[in-house]
Amino acid sequence: MITADAAGTWTLGDQTVNRMGFGSMRLTPNPDLAVAREVLRRAVELGVNHIDTAAFYVSPGGILDVGTGAARFATELIRAALSPYDPSLFIATKVGPGLLPSGEFEIADTPVRLRAQVEENLRRLGVDRLDLVNLRLTRRGGSIADRFAALAALRDEGLIRHLGLSNATLEQVDEASAIAPVVCVQNSFALDLRRDEALARASAVRDIAFVPFFAIAGTSREDGASPVTDDAVTSVAAAHGVTPHQVRLAWTLHQGDNVLAIPGTGDVSHLEQNIAAAALRFTPEELARLN
Ligand SMILES: NC(=O)c1ccc[n+]([C@@H]2O[C@H](COP(=O)([O-])OP(=O)(O)OC[C@H]3O[C@@H](n4cnc5c(N)ncnc54)[C@H](OP(=O)(O)O)[C@@H]3O)[C@@H](O)[C@H]2O)c1
C-alpha cells in the first residue's frame, strides 16, 4: 500500500510533514459519524500527518444545526477520531470566516473576534495550542497588518505555534512576513485554476509552503469533483492506470517541493486513491501535455 510519505516531506516552521496531507471539509456532510472516523483513522494509518480544518466546517444544516446543537463540526470529528493526538500530527486551521454561537456567519476582523475564533478552535480540537492558524482573507488585496498582528500576539501568548495566510496575494504575504513568520499560503489552485502559479514559485523562494485547495474540484470549487473530460488528463491517467482525479492531484505536487496537498474526501476509497497519487511521477512530456 502506498503511504503519504511517497511524495516526500516539507517542514512547516519546526515540524516536518508529509507533502500528501488531508483536508477535512468534506467530512461533515455525511451524518454517519462512523465514516468520518474511519476516513480520519485510515488517513493517519496511511501516513497522513498534516490535516487541514476550520471551526466553520460544519454539517450542511449550518446555522440551523449550530443553533439546535445538532451540528457536526470537522474539528470535533478530528478530536473524536484522533485524540489523544500523536505528536507527529500537525493540524492546520483557519480564522476570519466563522460561526457565532447562534450559528450566524461572521468575518472576524477585530482582535477580540479573532481571539474568540482561536479559542473556539482550541476548544473544539481539544488542544492547548494550535499548530497552525491561517488568516483566511475574504478580499485579495489591501492591508492585513492589523489582523495579522492580532494573531501574532496570540502566537506570542503561546496559543498558536505557526501562522499562515489563505486566499492571499504576494503583497499580503510580504506584509504579514514583516510582522511574524508566515509558514504557508493556502490558496485555490488546480490544473484549471492557475491564477497563483507565480505565487507558488515566489513562496518557494521565501521557504513558505504553498497549499492548494480545490486541486481535484478545480473550477467546480465547493460543488466538488466533476467528471474529467480533458484529453490530456484522461490519457495520462490511462497511461499510469490511475484516475483523472489522481492525476489532477499529483500535478499540484509536481509544481514545486514546497507544494503540499490537502485533498478533501468523505470516502475511504477516495482517500486511499488520493494518498496513492503521492507516488505518481510524470515525465517532462506528460507534464507538458498536462500544462
Ligand atoms: N482556505 C480555504 O478557503 C479553503 C477552501 C476550501 C477548502 N479548503 C480546504 O482544502 C481541502 C480541499 O478542498 P476541497 O475538499 O474543497 O476540494 P478537493 O480536495 O479539490 O476536492 C474534493 C472533492 O473531490 C471529491 N474527491 C476527492 N477525492 C476523490 C477521488 N479520489 N475521486 C473522485 N472524487 C474525489 C470529493 O468528494 P468525496 O467526498 O465523494 O470523495 C469532493 O467532492 C478541504 O477539504 C479543506 O480542508 C480550504
Side-chain angles (χ1 to χ4, degrees):
M1 184 59 85
I2 296 164
T3 48
D5 55 356
T9 61
W10 178 262
T11 301
L12 283 166
D14 58 359
Q15 192 163 332
T16 301
V17 299
N18 291 323
R19 291 177 63 216
M20 177 56 73
F22 174 75
S24 66
M25 191 176 84
R26 307 283 173 175
L27 290 177
T28 52
N30 190 341
D32 185 349
L33 301 188
V35 174
R37 190 184 183 87
E38 197 191 343
V39 170
L40 285 162
R41 292 219 168 146
R42 187 76 179 129
V44 169
E45 202 173 85
L46 290 175
V48 166
N49 53 17
H50 172 216
I51 294 181
D52 177 73
T53 193
F56 59 89
Y57 290 167
V58 67
S59 39
I63 292 177
L64 202 63
D65 284 351
V66 175
T68 61
R72 296 182 296 281
F73 289 91
T75 38
E76 295 187 349
L77 294 172
I78 292 169
R79 179 185 188 167
L82 303 178
S83 74
Y85 301 109
D86 190 279
S88 64
L89 184 63
F90 188 101
I91 302 177
T93 190
K94 54 192 81 68
V95 295
L99 295 170
L100 295 165
S102 62
E104 275 174 273
F105 193 72
E106 72 160 342
I107 302 293
D109 58 1
T110 64
V112 169
R113 286 311 309 158
L114 288 166
R115 173 185 282 275
Q117 290 193 358
V118 165
E119 288 174 348
E120 182 189 3
N121 276 282
L122 289 167
R123 192 177 71 249
R124 295 200 190 282
L125 285 168
V127 293
D128 296 329
R129 195 157 64 136
L130 298 169
D131 294 326
L132 168 66
V133 173
N134 285 316
L135 176 62
R136 206 300 182 182
L137 305 170
T138 45
R139 197 164 67 87
R140 286 170 66 103
S143 176
I144 57 166
D146 291 350
R147 284 168 286 167
F148 201 76
L151 292 181
L154 298 177
R155 176 179 173 267
D156 293 345
E157 210 182 296
L159 301 184
I160 300 172
R161 279 170 63 207
H162 301 295
L163 296 173
L165 292 173
S166 179
N167 196 35
T169 61
L170 183 58
E171 292 67 33
Q172 290 171 320
V173 171
D174 285 339
E175 185 189 30
S177 299
I179 297 167
V182 172
V183 304
C184 76
V185 185
Q186 188 181 113
N187 281 14
S188 60
F189 186 67
L191 252 174
D192 53 346
L193 268 182
R194 292 167 69 165
R195 171 175 62 173
D196 285 328
E197 226 158 353
L199 178 56
R201 285 194 296 273
S203 302
V205 171
R206 289 160 174 75
D207 213 25
I208 293 173
F210 184 77
V211 187
F213 60 88
F214 296 151
I216 297 171
T219 50
S220 301
R221 303 179 71 89
E222 283 83 1
D223 290 342
S226 51
V228 179
T229 51
D230 183 279
D231 282 348
V233 178
T234 51
S235 64
V236 170
H240 286 267
V242 298
T243 72
H245 300 300
Q246 287 173 295
V247 169
R248 288 177 60 86
L249 184 57
W251 175 84
T252 62
L253 290 171
H254 281 72
Q255 304 312 303
D257 291 344
N258 69 320
V259 178
L260 310 184
I262 50 163
T265 182
D267 179 301
V268 174
S269 61
H270 286 171
L271 170 85
E272 290 173 348
Q273 288 172 11
N274 294 345
I275 292 174
L280 283 173
R281 299 288 183 276
F282 301 136
T283 63
E285 294 73 28
E286 286 174 330
L287 279 174
R289 256 160 68 211
L290 292 171
N291 282 330

